[in-house]
Amino acid sequence: MSILLRGGDVVSGRGAERLDVLLEGEKIAAVGADLGAGEGEVVDCTGKLLFPGFIDGHTHFDLEVGGTITADDFATGSRAALRGGTTTVIDFAAPDKGEPLAAGLARWREKAVGKCACDYGFHMTIDDWNEGICREIGEMAEEGITSFKMYMTYPAMMIGEGEMYRALLRLKEAGGVAGVHCENDGVIRELVRAARAAGRMSPGSHPRTRPAPLEAEAVGHLLRLAQLADAPVIIVHLSCRESMEEVRAARRRGQRVYVETCPHYLLLEDGGYDDPDYMAAAKLVCAPPLRKAEDRAALWAALAGGEIDTVATDHCSFTTAQKRAGRYDFTKIPGGLPGVEHRGVLLYTHGVAAGRITPADMCRVLCENPAKLYGCWPRKGCIAPGGDGDIVVYDPAARGVITAADQAQNTDYTPYEGMETAGAVARVYLRGRLAADRGRVLETQGQFIRRGPCAL
Ligand code: MN
């Protein structure tokens, strides 16, 4: 059974071209002008943009955080992803301290297998360091896991300076790459102590105890360790102008630094934390926190200038009831925002339709770059013969409004409530099968994607 997507504008990182796309089985069989359909179904895509399925390299489904579990598991999170055009997510497997990496991987496989409706992979979290873990990093590559995560904040996740340096050396040797959460933990803890002592326990203290210079300091700090180790690194969820400056300085030194940012840093600001409605402010708590207008502007400029490699969501969703656990103590608000469903339409609306970036730029940061960075190119991330039949049919003429009432994410709010959208995801194909049709999510089965080395 084949499907011919006829007459759409096929987007790549180089531009858009009016071409037909023939899907056969799970694969893209042909891309060209005036392809014949044979016996198969023909879908008129006139006036539509055809993107490769979006890849979200940063989600947290079914994750325990601060005594609760994210509202989205792999079943609901993956369906929300598909509804918004994301056909592959890369989540984070995390062993508990003292466990081998393999134990973390086994646990996350169990969470995802049979439940995840879109394709998926895992980054492996390194939150401990010993000889066993050092050895296991090589074994992870055989499991198709080539990207890792380290933390410079959250004492439960940190491994220490020398260990981080050793991990960078080991990853380089094994052909892996690490994404790092950069914030200066010690000073954040001091600022939290001072806020507590002053009785300032509302969400307004959240951005004030995690200010931009403490992110930039950690980015610069990490990049000097990476310079010494001569290892590539990914700055995940980069949120502010000063961090971008640290990245530029390292790139000028010749370092390989990859940058990820998130829709909330491009679109939202820290003013919301001072909302007198405690819960309205609590719903915006995430780390790093939302920043200022000048940071947003700097991120858009960096995105348009090709300095940001990928836009991922850091989807980590909680319901209002879960966020309420942090009432009267901002440090107990579960941190994270929903977003896996809306990344594509947000980037199109505020990026492409607003004239800040082109469809090709959007394709690079949502498709090509994450596929290359995370070692699944060209199976994923491009519309070319032989690749997986993952396609987003985007209707730029549609108009919509983002609301919690109309979302598949398993939470009762969205930080983008009421935002008007330019265009909409009309249809989504996952490995040659229709997975979402104008907001209706169909039954599909996700596949674990074994990934190779970074190719960006
Ligand atoms: Mn995260």
Side-chain angles (χ1 to χ4, degrees), residues 268-292:
L268 306 174
E269 292 172 18
D270 62 1
Y273 294 122
D274 289 321
D275 194 317
D277 176 349
Y278 192 104
M279 288 313 300
K283 288 177 189 175
L284 298 177
V285 166
C286 58
L290 304 176
R291 304 294 191 189
K292 305 197 177 303

Side-chain angles (χ1 to χ4, degrees), residues 223-437:
L223 291 177
R224 286 300 184 175
L225 303 189
Q227 177 188 18
L228 194 66
D230 188 24
V233 281
I234 307 164
I235 311 298
V236 296
H237 49 48
L238 183 141
S239 73
C240 60
R241 179 181 57 77
E242 287 110 311
S243 293
M244 236 7 264
E245 286 171 5
E246 296 293 333
V247 169
R248 287 187 190 113
R251 284 175 173 164
R252 279 196 299 269
R253 295 194 293 265
Q255 290 183 239
R256 265 169 72 202
V257 187
Y258 303 107
V259 174
E260 168 199 281
T261 192
C262 311
H264 43 280
Y265 301 121
L266 291 165
L267 299 173
L268 306 174
E269 292 172 18
D270 62 1
Y273 294 122
D274 289 321
D275 194 317
D277 176 349
Y278 192 104
M279 288 313 300
K283 288 177 189 175
L284 298 177
V285 166
C286 58
L290 304 176
R291 304 294 191 189
K292 305 197 177 303
E294 62 167 53
D295 294 299
R296 284 183 50 198
L299 293 179
W300 276 112
L303 192 66
E307 294 179 290
I308 290 176
D309 301 289
T310 171
V311 177
T313 62
D314 199 5
H315 178 94
C316 188
S317 62
F318 299 99
T319 62
T320 307
Q322 287 177 297
K323 288 271 186 184
R324 194 167 283 126
R327 256 187 133 180
Y328 313 121
D329 180 349
F330 73 95
T331 66
K332 295 198 166 62
I333 300 167
L337 302 182
V340 73
E341 185 168 342
H342 298 126
R343 183 181 54 141
V345 77
L346 288 170
L347 210 60
Y348 189 85
T349 300
H350 296 277
V352 177
R356 288 165 158 147
I357 60 171
T358 65
D361 295 330
M362 176 164 154
C363 181
R364 273 198 301 277
V365 297
L366 297 192
C367 315
E368 284 191 9
N369 289 347
K372 290 174 180 172
L373 179 60
Y374 295 124
C376 51
W377 172 274
R379 177 177 175 187
K380 304 289 191 188
C382 60
I383 298 180
D388 280 356
D390 301 344
I391 310 278
V392 179
V393 180
Y394 196 88
D395 180 1
R399 289 292 174 271
V401 180
I402 295 175
T403 65
D406 176 37
Q407 70 179 358
Q409 297 174 147
N410 189 33
T411 175
D412 56 346
Y413 81 97
T414 158
Y416 309 105
E417 183 72 32
M419 219 176 238
E420 292 179 13
T421 64
V425 171
R427 285 179 155 221
V428 181
Y429 293 88
L430 173 68
R431 277 180 284 101
R433 285 180 62 141
L434 188 61
D437 186 6

Side-chain angles (χ1 to χ4, degrees), residues 12-29:
S12 75
R14 295 173 310 282
E17 203 179 343
R18 175 101 9 116
L19 293 168
D20 297 341
V21 178
L22 182 66
L23 305 178
E24 260 173 20
E26 297 201 332
K27 297 290 183 185
I28 297 168

Side-chain angles (χ1 to χ4, degrees), residues 13-14 48 52 57 71 99 109 114 133 154 157 163 168 184 234 266 273 287 305-306 312 371-372 426:
R14 295 173 310 282
K48 310 289 193 292
E99 276 186 340
R109 276 205 155 126
I133 285 173
Y154 308 128
M157 313 297 282
E163 290 80 359
L168 289 172
N184 180 308
I234 307 164
L266 291 165
Y273 294 122
K372 290 174 180 172

